Amino acid sequence: MGIRFPSVRGGGRGHRTPRDPDHLAESDHPADYDEHAVRVTGAKGEAAGVRAVLVSMQRALTSMGPVRTAASLFRLNQRHGFDCPGCAWPEEPGGRKFAEFCENGAKAVAEEATTRLVTPEFFARHSVAELSERPEYWLSQQGRLTHPMVLRPGDDHYRPIDWDDAYRLIADELRALPDPDQAVFYTSGRTSNEAAFLYQLLVRSFGTNNLPDCSNMCHESSGTALIDAIGVGKGSVTVEDLVAADLIVIAGQNPGTNHPRMLSVLEKAKANGAEIIAVNPLREAGLLRFKDPQKVRGVLGDGVAIADEYVQIRIGGDMALFAGLGRLLLEADDRAPGSVVDRRFIADHCANFAAYEARTRAVDLDTVCEATGVCRAQLERVAAKMAAAQRIVVCWAMGLTQHRHAVPTIAEITNVLLMRGMIGKPGAGVCPVRGHSNVQGDRTMGIWEKMPESFLAALDDRFGITSPRTPGHDTVAAIRAMRDGQAKVFMAMGGNFASATPDTEVTEAALRTCSLTVQVSTKLNRSHLVHGRTALILPSLGRTDRDIRNGVRQVVSVEDSMSMVHLSRGSLTPPSDQVRSEVAIVCELARELLGPDHPVPWETFADDYDTIRDAIADVVPGCEDYNTRVRRPDGFQLPHPPRDSREFPTATGRANFEVYPLEWVPVPDGRLVLQTLRSHDQYNTTIYGLDDRYRGVSGGRRVVFVNPADIASLGLRDGDRVDLVSEFTGADGRLQERRAEDFRVVAYSTPVGNAAAYYPETNPLVPLDHVAIKSNTPASKAVVIRLEKTWAG
Ligand SMILES: Nc1nc2c(c(=O)[nH]1)N[C@H]1C(S)=C(S)[C@@H](COP(=O)(O)OP(=O)(O)OC[C@H]3O[C@@H](n4cnc5c(=O)[nH]c(N)nc54)[C@H](O)[C@@H]3O)O[C@H]1N2
Ligand SMILES: Nc1nc2c(c(=O)[nH]1)N[C@H]1C(S)=C(S)[C@@H](COP(=O)(O)OP(=O)(O)OC[C@H]3O[C@@H](n4cnc5c(=O)[nH]c(N)nc54)[C@H](O)[C@@H]3O)O[C@H]1N2
Ligand SMILES: [Mo]
């Protein structure tokens, strides 16, 4: 269908289509493009295959050259190599193999290990004003940051600065604050356990719990629901459990793109006889069929079918789905008492079952069909599979967590599993599939605005400090605090706060009110250009880089989605000798800010990461003997009482059935409910390229996927161009509108009333107050929009 659009109106905030070739500078760069040369070829029916290997090798060779490609890809997820920065899916135990390589893992490595550099000369050539007109894709593709840079008040260029001067500048700004709570310290999820532990120690020594992180926008809803229900906010299964399960439900997750290594585990589970149920508004290639590029069958044959049952649910219908399934399971048990409901488990371990049973028997199945768009016959088929299975795992990701009713939805899933006694036995349990490769470890190490008293007390005890006890700001609260002038210094340990957060215009204005913004980063991004009065960029090592301190090669450790902790050793030459490790940056800043008499041995920590691990062993539960255990070939697993011994450290001391009023997402007349999601060619806000291969879109990202029936009823045609306008009622009762300009309408298989478009282009549409109840996670999977036609296709 190769469509080329005429030139377009400016889209604001750097989305402008570059028309003048000179304007692109940094010539012959792959990020030179016309955003609207989108081609639409139709969705694919399978994921991976040989093409995946070819794409990743091509990408790796272009970014890194042959030597670094070999040095990095062969060490990816190997026992003596580095942990893949791609995602938090675990390595398979019993010796990691080269087969642990996947297309998107290879792309993530190529992004970090690229030989392109963003040097002081680059910043001399490009003013901040000019850079802020660039799309995120262009910024992503410029290469690794090589030097600490400062943007002084009134200046229009970042200039080089010495590390010591940078630390002094930060310390001066922080000390000048009337209250430590006026500083915000964000963390993204790639930070190692060692750096995360020290960062939270620095922040708490300084005197605040303002430690928002990317998890606030990601699996916070999972953590919140699971802590209430089972007492531990993490998944209760291992890879072995998945392989041993006889039924796996995958809801609100697109593993073919975001956790490709999960597909080979699913293939094994299927070979063992497991059935798979996919619950997703889109027919995602990775859930349909998998061609393992490492096997002859995958290379030559058709691969294996993944989902035995595809529930193409309406956006936001999952709570109703699981409540309806709950009712059908209770009724199946009535027909054959004792065959479905695990009364023994419930009596021994659970609380509140009676309330759950009463509510669930009263669930109206017609309402469930309306909320989910799923017909009664399919509902009964799925319930029959769930009633018959002996070992059930439910996996989920952002399709469930980023909704207003995300916490009740995850509680509803847990209820069904508890009713069937599916927690704390082999082959069964809850599996929130984490995103960033160490987002779970960062939390374990204390990156959380509301760490429990037991952790703070242990920290104080170990170091002789007094941690503050007032809970800090999460991500949304931090934006509000900056917006309202309550926070003045913003520091980020990785990530891209300006682009990843909701309500882009509001967030950017909030960041601009700061007196100082500090970004510890590997690559250039939008957050360097949305700055406070003074701004710093501090370049840090990434996972793949060699880290030598005091003449000794240092290693770090990470925790995956299944609570396995293991080492990660980078081996590549860093982009410049000015780039420092995150550990070193934290320790050196701490020395400057807290002074030489501070009781924490910052200098020792910076020079020998084993000493950090010894401190972690003393403070973090389950990390005893950390240095020894983390050096075992597959590392070690952190304790998880529900998984290990069916003990539930909740307020009741039991697993709780949590009952919430039923909620779903109705579609207002003439409107659509938009989900914001990832393409196959991006890592969150880092854009690798313009192809979403499995969905059949290439050459551009400003597309909106719409059901053909909606396209017709809205008086549009496939190929038309539209503005997306979101509509919300504000706290003052007035209708608010937000606009993202110029998207191409793509006819696509999604339920009537639902639409999808990529993040972060759509973040301006998500109001700051549109958040999940209890977890405060931006509800970026359900934004009510209308389409305004701007150009007929
Ligand atoms: N290559 C690559 N890997 C990544 C990332 C990346 O950007 N690129 N990001 C990492 C991070 S931080 C994370 S959190 C994970 C994200 O992993 P995912 O959660 O898989 O990411 P999304 O693209 O947000 O996909 C959400 C999925 O949920 C579906 N969905 C949307 N709304 C609903 C709903 O209401 N109900 C149901 N049942 N499904 C719904 C969408 O159709 C889509 O398939 O991936 C991690 N891995
Ligand atoms: N609308 C919408 N918004 C979303 C989502 C969505 O689905 N829809 N998803 C949300 C989710 S799940 C998440 S996790 C967040 C992601 O939010 P973030 O984690 O803040 O964003 P990333 O794009 O992953 O951050 C990329 C930047 O991290 C830096 N970086 C990469 N590796 C390293 C490293 O090793 N060290 C350091 N110091 N820096 C590094 C690079 O400079 C890069 O530019 O976005 C959230 N926002
Ligand atoms: Mo995430």
Side-chain angles (χ1 to χ4, degrees):
M1 230 192 283
I3 293 169
R4 260 194 112 72
F5 294 112
S7 66
V8 294
R9 301 191 266 144
R13 65 155 304 212
H15 290 313
R16 223 148 284 172
T17 304
R19 262 156 285 168
D20 165 10
D22 282 347
H23 182 69
L24 291 165
E26 308 301 310
S27 62
D28 77 351
H29 200 276
D32 297 354
Y33 67 104
D34 171 0
E35 266 223 47
H36 287 97
V38 186
R39 287 175 302 282
V40 178
T41 53
K44 301 279 175 295
E46 93 268 322
V50 181
R51 176 117 184 89
V53 176
L54 293 179
V55 167
S56 49
M57 288 313 288
Q58 207 174 11
R59 195 71 59 98
L61 288 167
T62 320
S63 312
M64 305 188 275
V67 175
R68 284 168 76 84
T69 297
S72 57
L73 295 189
F74 284 98
R75 290 204 177 88
L76 178 56
N77 284 343
Q78 305 302 296
R79 275 185 174 166
H80 298 288
F82 57 89
D83 180 66
C84 181
C87 74
W89 187 257
E91 284 79 39
E92 289 182 54
R96 298 177 234 156
K97 348 181 242 312
F98 180 59
E100 279 294 293
F101 161 100
C102 78
E103 175 188 351
N104 277 349
K107 285 189 205 160
V109 169
E111 280 295 304
E112 186 175 293
T114 177
T115 47
R116 291 187 203 116
L117 300 176
V118 173
T119 58
E121 296 71 50
F122 172 95
F123 286 107
R125 265 196 315 274
H126 301 286
S127 70
V128 171
E130 187 215 315
L131 291 173
S132 47
E133 288 295 300
R134 302 288 191 180
E136 199 72 66
Y137 177 38
W138 190 93
L139 298 174
S140 300
Q141 293 308 308
Q142 301 310 308
R144 284 287 298 274
L145 296 158
T146 62
H147 285 72
M149 304 295 298
V150 64
L151 181 68
R152 304 222 182 248
D155 199 353
D156 51 8
H157 284 262
Y158 272 99
R159 321 260 173 207
I161 181 172
D162 286 344
W163 278 102
D164 287 343
D165 292 336
Y167 296 134
R168 210 164 301 127
L169 202 160
I170 303 171
D172 287 347
E173 288 280 354
L174 285 172
R175 278 192 297 254
L177 293 174
D179 180 345
D181 285 335
Q182 291 194 10
V184 168
F185 299 86
Y186 176 71
T187 313
S188 173
R190 283 198 186 169
T191 297
S192 65
N193 282 351
E194 290 75 6
F197 181 77
L198 294 186
Y199 186 50
Q200 62 85 33
L201 180 59
L202 161 69
V203 170
R204 295 197 161 102
S205 298
F206 171 64
T208 180
N209 281 311
N210 286 344
L211 283 157
D213 68 350
C214 67
S215 206
N216 295 142
M217 299 180 273
C218 187
H219 269 291
E220 194 72 59
S221 305
S222 308
T224 305
L226 291 175
I227 287 173
D228 285 350
I230 63 170
V232 180
K234 301 180 180 182
S236 74
V237 297
T238 60
V239 171
E240 287 95 329
D241 289 320
L242 270 160
V243 173
D246 60 3
L247 181 66
I248 301 171
V249 181
I250 304 170
Q253 190 200 349
N254 179 22
T257 287
N258 298 316
H259 307 91
R261 286 179 297 120
M262 181 175 174
L263 297 185
S264 53
V265 175
L266 296 178
E267 190 188 17
K268 275 190 203 144
K270 291 215 72 162
N272 287 348
E275 285 206 74
I276 294 181
I277 299 176
V279 183
N280 202 304
L282 303 180
R283 291 183 64 79
E284 303 282 29
L287 295 169
L288 294 170
R289 196 164 267 286
F290 172 53
K291 289 170 109 175
D292 187 340
Q294 262 117 67
K295 292 192 186 137
V296 176
R297 198 184 60 246
V299 173
L300 301 176
D302 293 336
V304 289
I306 297 288
D308 299 279
E309 186 77 55
Y310 210 108
V311 181
Q312 200 169 4
I313 196 167
R314 283 199 176 131
I315 289 175
D318 304 81
M319 183 187 188
L321 174 72
F322 281 89
L325 290 172
R327 171 170 166 179
L328 293 174
L329 289 173
L330 286 165
E331 289 173 358
D333 193 71
D334 295 342
R335 291 191 294 274
S339 65
V340 177
V341 177
D342 189 340
R343 304 228 172 238
R344 183 70 199 264
F345 174 78
I346 294 169
D348 289 352
H349 299 291
C350 300
N352 208 31
F353 179 66
Y356 169 73
E357 181 173 12
R359 190 298 310 259
T360 305
R361 284 189 186 278
V363 166
D364 172 30
L365 292 178
D366 290 335
T367 305
V368 171
C369 291
E370 189 199 315
T372 58
V374 175
C375 71
R376 188 70 174 260
Q378 187 174 40
L379 201 61
E380 281 170 8
R381 258 193 337 264
V382 171
K385 286 184 200 291
M386 292 196 80
Q390 296 307 308
R391 295 173 304 281
I392 307 176
V393 176
V394 182
C395 305
W396 71 85
M398 297 305 101
L400 299 197
T401 64
Q402 298 174 336
H403 278 291
R404 266 192 62 75
H405 58 308
V407 172
T409 300
I410 294 159
E412 209 59 61
I413 291 175
T414 315
N415 289 341
V416 168
L417 289 173
L418 289 175
M419 167 163 62
R420 295 239 41 224
M422 292 291 172
I423 290 195
K425 74 172 195 182
V430 285
C431 183
V433 182
R434 303 272 160 178
H436 262 302
S437 54
N438 198 39
V439 62
Q440 188 161 318
D442 290 347
R443 275 288 164 94
T444 305
M445 293 298 129
I447 303 289
W448 195 21
E449 70 281 358
K450 45 184 184 204
M451 281 309 275
E453 173 57 31
S454 54
F455 179 93
L456 300 177
L459 197 66
D460 290 359
D461 198 40
R462 173 67 169 72
F463 293 107
I465 61 168
T466 309
S467 298
R469 294 315 201 253
T470 327
H473 296 317
D474 63 12
T475 294
V476 166
I479 297 167
R480 290 194 186 118
M482 289 184 273
R483 177 196 63 191
D484 300 341
Q486 313 279 305
K488 287 290 175 198
V489 175
F490 175 87
M491 175 165 178
M493 186 55 70
N496 183 1
F497 194 87
S499 267
T501 49
D503 225 344
T504 311
E505 223 174 285
V506 173
T507 299
E508 292 198 349
L511 283 164
R512 291 188 200 283
T513 65
C514 289
S515 59
L516 175 69
T517 47
V518 183
Q519 304 286 342
V520 180
S521 310
T522 53
K523 311 252 322 222
L524 188 64
N525 65 44
R526 176 87 191 153
S527 299
H528 303 126
L529 311 169
V530 180
H531 53 82
R533 190 154 44 84
T534 304
L536 284 165
I537 301 175
L538 304 180
S540 85
L541 296 178
R543 224 32 94 59
T544 53
D545 298 316
R546 193 164 53 225
D547 182 1
I548 296 184
R549 298 289 307 171
N550 211 14
V552 179
R553 175 104 165 251
Q554 303 291 332
V555 293
V556 294
S557 55
V558 292
E559 174 186 343
D560 67 31
S561 203
M562 293 175 181
S563 306
M564 292 296 303
V565 181
H566 60 81
L567 287 181
S568 176
R569 289 181 187 82
S571 54
L572 299 183
T573 311
S576 95
D577 59 8
Q578 281 295 304
V579 177
R580 298 202 176 163
S581 73
E582 292 177 346
V583 166
I585 294 170
V586 170
C587 292
E588 289 162 6
L589 173 59
R591 276 272 298 176
E592 182 64 39
L593 177 65
L594 305 169
D597 300 329
H598 193 257
V600 176
W602 297 106
E603 271 162 82
T604 313
F605 283 160
D607 283 344
D608 178 1
Y609 298 2
D610 273 352
T611 61
I612 311 171
R613 285 183 281 271
D614 284 339
I616 291 173
D618 293 339
V619 173
V620 182
C623 290
E624 303 75 23
D625 208 11
Y626 198 80
N627 267 309
T628 313
R629 291 197 296 154
V630 81
R631 286 186 161 81
R632 290 179 189 158
D634 288 318
F636 69 97
Q637 189 171 35
L638 286 166
H640 187 295
R643 178 196 66 207
D644 302 336
S645 52
R646 291 195 154 178
E647 282 166 90
F648 298 93
T650 60
T652 59
R654 294 176 149 252
N656 295 313
F657 284 88
E658 298 281 331
V659 181
Y660 293 92
L662 206 56
E663 272 188 66
W664 64 96
V665 183
V667 185
D669 256 0
R671 305 294 184 266
L672 299 173
V673 173
L674 175 79
Q675 60 151 320
T676 62
L677 81 178
R678 291 153 175 82
S679 84
H680 193 62
D681 235 0
Q682 71 182 87
Y683 193 92
N684 298 339
T685 68
T686 302
I687 311 301
Y688 300 154
L690 301 176
D691 297 344
D692 195 2
R693 201 168 73 247
Y694 298 154
R695 299 198 187 102
V697 168
S698 60
R701 293 177 47 86
R702 293 184 88 76
V703 292
V704 57
F705 299 100
V706 186
N707 182 297
D710 285 321
I711 295 181
S713 72
L714 295 172
L716 297 167
R717 298 216 325 244
D718 177 278
D720 281 353
R721 289 227 306 271
V722 293
D723 285 353
L724 313 184
V725 185
S726 74
E727 298 178 337
F728 278 87
T729 310
D732 56 3
R734 273 194 282 185
L735 192 71
Q736 304 177 352
E737 291 194 351
R738 291 167 176 75
R739 182 175 297 263
E741 287 179 336
D742 208 17
F743 286 70
R744 181 205 190 278
V745 174
V746 175
Y748 204 81
S749 175
T750 183
V752 171
N754 289 175
Y758 303 131
Y759 129 82
E761 286 80 351
T762 45
N763 287 44
L765 299 171
V766 187
L768 191 58
D769 295 329
H770 182 50
V771 290
I773 47 173
K774 283 184 114 171
S775 68
N776 220 25
T777 294
S780 42
K781 291 291 188 272
V783 182
V784 174
I785 57 164
R786 63 171 196 271
L787 305 183
E788 280 186 6
K789 180 148 101 182
T790 56
W791 189 81

